[in-house]
Amino acid sequence: MSGWKECLRSLRLIPVGIVGSGSLWALKGGGQSGGLTAALCDEGSDVDRRAALEVLKRYQESLKDDSVVKESSAESSSSVASELQKIEDSLSNAKAAVEKYYRYQARHILNDYYESMNRKGLSAPAPEKPAAKPNTTEGAPADEPNVVPKKELPQYLTADAAFGNFSEASSPVCVPYVIIGGGTTAWSAVQAIHEKDKSASVLIISDESYPPYNRTPLSKERWSSDDDNLSFVDFMGRKRSLLYSYSKQVGEHQRSSILLNSRVKKLDLENSSIETEDGKVVEYQSLLIATGGKAHPVESVHQDLGNDALQNRVMSFRTIDDFIALDKLVRDPKTKNVCIVGGGFLGAELACSLKRIAKLNDVQVTLMFPEPGPLFKLIPRYLSEFLTYKLASAGVKVMPSSIVTGARESPENSDSIELDVVSFTKKSLQTDAVVVAVGIQPQDKLAEDAGLEVDQINGGVVVNAELQAANGVFAAGDVASFWDSALGRRRVEHWDHALVSGRIAGDNMAGGKSMYGFQSMYWCDLSAIDVHFEAVGLQSSKLETVGVWNLKEPSRFENRPGSFSRNKYESGIVWYMKDQRVVGALLLNMPREALQEARQIIESKTSVPDDESLKELIPLPKSKNFLLVGRSDSY
């Protein structure tokens, strides 16, 4: 590899742009805040100096007036000195307010960041907290309760306006920061890099046709929108875009680029370079592997589903293109039924989303899976059976313990599919479309071929607490196998983790020292059956569980196996236990504050000697119908 200075000189040829707003100090309790304080103080000094000069100018001009000349010069001088003293005092107060503001945020910023993300919609970047104005204490937390920080929203650009086009760049070329992958992790990392290094050149290489976007609404809110564009209505009723937006700084600096529809075929660690399938060679200083995961192919259910004759009506579901294809299928007047194969969160969400839309009321939705109930690998059996009843009552045809053993074009209708099924009730199923939703597999082969360590148990690229896989190489998001100080080595496939790990990796790529020490969460919306899950830590039906529940009506069943599934659960918590220690929690229709409490309990490695003690960890909303499903009852 040529000298790095030579590489930097070549950057003049790269059409790139800058991205970044938000708060790098959300990661470290430091970073930009120190610079922000200095910048504000400098700005405040300039403002106050200008104000002082203006006062002196007015005073000098007033001396030309006869009425002013007659006044005591000593009194006038005293007035000017008084004004200057006030300005100096206000500047001192502003500096103190900013410093107090920084110390306050250093303790609370990460939690505030997630709260603001939820308030403003999941695809919106975290807004910057307002800083104290030069001559006031506005915006700075104070001990007095009457001081309320003013919220100022930064201006954002769309993703299309955020990135330069890299496709015409010559090869080889040098870019300081390169990110392989174009999902939430990449978006989060780009913002963190630019918060640390505002003049940084960043290149994203993505195998998709779209710049970074939010996948989570694809199985949820996006189905409620009739628009043909990439929009959805969030939980606050606001229309948003799936595509992430970026700080207005992007348009001012134009230093970040994106290469779409491109795959990296080789990673050369020795020469710090990558090569794409179309022959482009890019040398880097810091590299982030954010390749995420890809949906298990339809052949993972049965090889016959990959038959060429069925391709137009059999699909997996993960990307915007997948959503567009499925949306086209369900809008087709010929489509009268859809079969979803997979009983996890994705399958259950898709089933609910398709059933709750008025235009699809005449479309039969079937949810088929090999387990005894939906979400069976994650939740206690009684709760899985409860979800089965709820889904059936919403009009979803649920087929548990069912396996596809073959597929072909229907002999009666070439636009339909005939599935061979092994189940308790059916031997075959006629359907017009099949969606395979059986999870993802981490895309770690590129890293493994390059000689990086891959987790043989969980999959994914092995990284340390700073998300570093090798010198100058980081991995984050779905593809990273990281060390959790509370729960051990693990790999997580959720949006919240992608956001957090992306920011940490981006910060460290730009010279930071952030460490992963956060319990990320995930959520599941089953709006058609009035069920909303949030979870943190480990969830597995193989673990011991204790359920603490509010019921919509008194329990009518005896405390025996099989009876709990017939209760009507209004809200509650499933605690996951290992060696009498809380390692996870799943919250059903619980207040938002309960999630943070559960996170703290897991991080503190809380031991609970008996089931009764779990009732007091997080008190449920007041209810007359309380139920405790202990470890011995959870089957």
Side-chain angles (χ1 to χ4, degrees):
M1 177 178 178
S2 60
W4 181 243
K5 292 183 179 179
E6 292 295 323
C7 293
L8 289 177
R9 281 198 286 271
S10 70
L11 289 175
R12 293 189 303 242
L13 305 177
I14 304 176
V16 289
I18 186 172
V19 179
S21 63
S23 310
L24 177 59
W25 33 274
L27 298 174
K28 329 181 36 179
Q32 188 183 349
S33 285
L36 178 63
T37 302
L40 285 171
C41 291
D42 290 342
E43 181 182 354
S45 299
D46 292 340
V47 171
D48 282 80
R49 282 194 292 271
R50 289 195 297 270
L53 290 173
E54 182 64 26
V55 171
L56 290 173
K57 181 180 178 181
R58 291 200 308 269
Y59 172 69
Q60 291 170 348
E61 290 177 349
S62 69
L63 292 177
K64 299 176 183 179
D65 191 290
D66 290 340
S67 62
V68 175
V69 172
K70 295 177 183 179
E71 294 179 0
S72 167
S73 60
E75 181 180 347
S76 299
S77 298
S78 175
S79 176
V80 172
S82 177
E83 278 203 64
L84 290 175
Q85 183 61 45
K86 290 180 181 178
I87 292 172
E88 184 177 349
D89 292 343
S90 68
L91 177 58
S92 177
N93 291 337
K95 290 180 178 179
V98 172
E99 290 173 358
K100 178 184 286 187
Y101 179 75
Y102 166 65
R103 290 193 299 269
Y104 174 87
Q105 289 296 339
R107 294 193 304 269
H108 301 285
I109 184 60
L110 192 55
N111 186 51
D112 289 347
Y113 176 81
Y114 288 105
E115 291 298 326
S116 65
M117 289 291 290
N118 289 317
R119 287 195 300 270
K120 299 183 182 303
L122 295 177
S123 66
E128 291 187 357
K129 299 288 184 178
K133 292 185 178 180
N135 57 350
T136 72
T137 58
E138 182 180 2
D143 297 332
E144 294 77 15
N146 61 337
V147 178
V148 179
K150 181 181 178 181
K151 296 180 180 179
E152 297 177 1
L153 297 179
Q155 292 180 304
Y156 295 110
L157 293 177
T158 62
D160 292 338
F163 295 106
N165 181 9
F166 193 81
S167 60
E168 302 301 323
S170 59
S171 178
V173 69
C174 301
V175 183
Y177 304 99
V178 175
I179 301 173
I180 306 175
T184 295
T185 302
W187 166 73
S188 185
V190 167
Q191 301 224 102
I193 289 171
H194 280 292
E195 289 161 12
K196 191 86 171 181
D197 182 359
K198 294 186 180 299
S199 63
S201 294
V202 183
L203 171 64
I204 291 178
I205 302 176
S206 174
D207 60 2
E208 291 200 51
S209 305
Y210 304 91
Y213 62 90
N214 187 358
R215 298 184 194 277
T216 57
L218 293 178
S219 60
K220 306 179 182 73
E221 299 94 339
R222 182 63 186 87
W223 288 98
S224 298
S225 175
D226 293 326
D227 296 338
D228 293 332
N229 56 21
L230 302 177
S231 65
F232 67 98
V233 177
D234 66 16
F235 62 93
M236 297 183 69
R238 295 177 301 185
K239 189 173 181 179
R240 310 198 67 85
S241 172
L242 290 174
L243 301 180
Y244 288 121
S245 55
Y246 299 82
S247 166
K248 191 178 179 181
Q249 293 174 333
V250 176
E252 297 171 354
H253 297 280
Q254 289 295 307
R255 294 191 63 80
S256 285
S257 292
I258 191 166
L259 187 59
L260 298 173
N261 300 307
S262 180
R263 283 183 174 274
V264 176
K265 70 175 184 180
K266 182 180 180 182
L267 168 57
D268 187 343
L269 298 177
E270 182 177 354
N271 294 307
S272 298
S273 67
I274 59 173
E275 182 180 354
T276 64
E277 288 183 342
D278 59 357
K280 281 188 173 60
V281 176
V282 181
E283 297 176 342
Y284 62 83
Q285 184 180 30
S286 292
L287 174 73
L288 174 60
I289 300 172
T291 46
K294 62 180 179 181
H296 284 290
V298 294
E299 291 86 357
S300 63
V301 173
H302 196 277
Q303 60 183 8
D304 290 347
L305 288 174
N307 188 314
D308 292 341
L310 305 180
Q311 281 187 355
N312 292 334
R313 291 189 172 270
V314 178
M315 58 176 295
S316 57
F317 191 91
R318 180 161 175 80
T319 68
I320 287 178
D321 290 335
D322 293 336
F323 171 86
I324 293 173
L326 180 57
D327 187 52
K328 182 179 179 180
L329 272 177
V330 297
R331 290 175 185 271
D332 188 337
K334 297 179 181 179
T335 302
K336 298 301 180 184
N337 47 69
V338 176
C339 178
I340 301 169
V341 181
F345 282 120
L346 177 59
E349 284 183 343
L350 279 176
C352 285
S353 295
L354 295 181
K355 284 305 299 181
R356 73 182 179 183
I357 301 173
K359 70 176 182 292
L360 296 178
N361 281 343
D362 295 332
V363 177
Q364 174 64 58
V365 178
T366 300
L367 183 61
M368 177 192 301
F369 42 84
E371 297 83 17
L375 278 60
F376 189 80
K377 295 181 179 180
L378 297 172
I379 62 178
R381 181 165 185 159
Y382 69 88
L383 192 57
S384 178
E385 291 180 352
F386 169 71
L387 292 182
T388 300
Y389 300 146
K390 294 282 286 185
L391 287 167
S393 65
V396 177
K397 184 178 181 180
V398 184
M399 293 182 61
S401 303
S402 300
I403 301 174
V404 175
T405 59
R408 66 190 67 83
E409 282 188 358
S410 172
E412 301 176 359
N413 184 353
S414 60
D415 291 325
S416 294
I417 302 168
E418 183 177 69
L419 297 177
D420 295 328
V421 180
V422 174
S423 72
F424 292 113
T425 58
K426 283 184 174 291
K427 293 183 178 180
S428 65
L429 177 70
Q430 297 287 329
T431 184
D432 297 321
V434 177
V435 183
V436 175
V438 292
I440 67 171
Q441 56 191 29
Q443 298 196 78
D444 54 16
K445 189 175 188 305
L446 176 69
E448 186 174 23
D449 291 345
L452 293 174
E453 182 181 0
V454 172
D455 190 331
Q456 298 301 313
I457 298 176
N458 304 305
V461 183
V462 175
V463 295
N464 60 19
E466 295 181 353
L467 301 184
Q468 189 174 45
N471 186 31
V473 180
F474 299 81
D478 296 351
V479 77
S481 170
F482 64 99
W483 178 255
D484 185 325
S485 60
L487 302 173
R489 183 157 295 279
R490 57 196 297 236
R491 189 176 62 82
V492 179
E493 300 174 355
H494 303 297
W495 179 89
D496 194 44
H497 169 70
L499 177 76
V500 174
S501 62
R503 290 184 68 84
I504 292 174
D507 175 41
N508 291 338
M509 290 171 72
K513 294 294 181 183
S514 298
M515 297 182 66
Y516 197 108
F518 183 75
Q519 289 297 326
S520 59
M521 56 82 70
Y522 65 90
W523 71 97
C524 176
D525 284 320
L526 305 177
S527 300
I529 58 176
D530 299 320
V531 170
H532 175 81
F533 284 118
E534 289 181 328
V536 63
L538 301 179
Q539 290 78 42
S540 172
S541 54
K542 296 179 180 179
L543 294 169
E544 289 186 313
T545 63
V546 179
V548 185
W549 299 105
N550 281 333
L551 304 181
K552 289 186 177 180
E553 59 186 46
S555 177
R556 297 177 289 114
F557 308 106
E558 295 179 7
N559 186 358
R560 65 176 185 271
S563 65
F564 298 111
S565 61
R566 289 178 281 175
N567 284 313
K568 297 182 178 180
Y569 299 95
E570 182 174 20
S571 61
I573 305 173
V574 177
W575 294 107
Y576 293 81
M577 311 295 297
K578 187 175 183 180
D579 299 327
Q580 294 189 328
R581 182 167 69 88
V582 176
V583 295
L586 183 139
L587 297 83
L588 170 67
N589 299 339
M590 287 289 288
R592 179 72 182 179
E593 300 77 24
L595 180 69
Q596 179 60 19
E597 293 182 55
R599 177 182 284 124
Q600 293 171 353
I601 290 169
I602 295 168
E603 290 175 345
S604 65
K605 302 181 181 180
T606 301
S607 296
V608 182
D610 56 76
D611 297 346
E612 289 291 327
S613 302
L614 289 166
K615 294 193 298 184
E616 307 301 325
L617 285 182
I618 300 180
L620 299 184
K622 292 182 179 180
S623 174
K624 296 180 181 180
N625 308 314
F626 177 84
L627 177 67
L628 176 69
V629 183
R631 277 170 260 204
S632 60
D633 303 317
S634 302
Y635 70 105

